[in-house]
Amino acid sequence: MQPTLLEGPFTVAEYHRLAELGILHEDDRVELLDGKVVVMTPIGPRHAGCVDRLTRLFSLRASDLAAVRVQSPVVLGERAEPEPDVSLLRLPIERYASAHPRPVDVMLIIEVADTSLDYDRDVKLPLYASAGIPEVWLVDLEGERITLHRAPGPDGYRDVTTASRGHSITPRLLPDGTLAVDEILG
């Protein structure tokens, strides 16, 4: 479980107000989950390398089809603004200059887990599902596998499959974006 910095509950607007007041700072590694300001896990080299690979791969293969964002906020509702490792968003990219993306904008979210697997799976995935995010990939660096979560509902994702080395995976909303698991894991 990630440590909670501020219990709240806070709305997204109140969360942003905490930054305006100087209580939270731009460099703080926090996100708003279920109304709580939660400290994010530090990013280790394996985690950063995987995010770099994903960013490069999707930038090369999907640049005309989706905006690729890295560790940037997505507003899920009134009390949740996580910062997924990678988000593929609907174009045009210019619309995100005036407001953070919302669930309707999201094509795919990817969370990379080095030490945060349980937290990402047990806390963040249910939030993504209840917000209607159509697809989430959970990259398990330790287990060298990627779990694909599709068909969101209030009780979680109904379609869950796992791919390991030697397999390829394709985002449902980006059929030209097939990636080899080996490319992602390095």
Side-chain angles (χ1 to χ4, degrees), residues 92-105:
I93 197 169
E94 291 77 21
R95 71 170 146 198
Y96 308 119
S98 59
H100 290 310
R102 301 211 170 254
V104 69
D105 301 312

Side-chain angles (χ1 to χ4, degrees), residues 30-82:
V30 296
E31 57 191 344
L32 182 67
L33 300 176
D34 200 23
K36 297 176 184 174
V37 179
V38 178
V39 177
M40 294 168 58
T41 304
I43 297 173
R46 278 193 335 169
H47 182 282
C50 183
V51 170
D52 290 345
R53 282 189 297 279
L54 284 161
T55 303
R56 183 174 188 278
L57 291 166
F58 277 119
S59 293
L60 291 171
R61 296 193 181 142
S63 63
D64 293 338
L65 305 170
V68 180
R69 288 187 102 192
V70 179
Q71 297 165 339
S72 294
V74 174
V75 177
L76 298 182
E78 187 177 314
R79 296 192 186 280
E81 189 180 279

Side-chain angles (χ1 to χ4, degrees), residues 17 24 34 45 56 64 69 73 79 84 89 97 106 118 126 128 145 163 165 167 170:
R17 185 77 177 126
L24 296 176
D34 200 23
R56 183 174 188 278
D64 293 338
R69 288 187 102 192
R79 296 192 186 280
L89 307 172
V106 177
D118 292 341
Y128 293 142
R145 63 182 167 256
R165 289 190 177 276
H167 293 99
T170 304

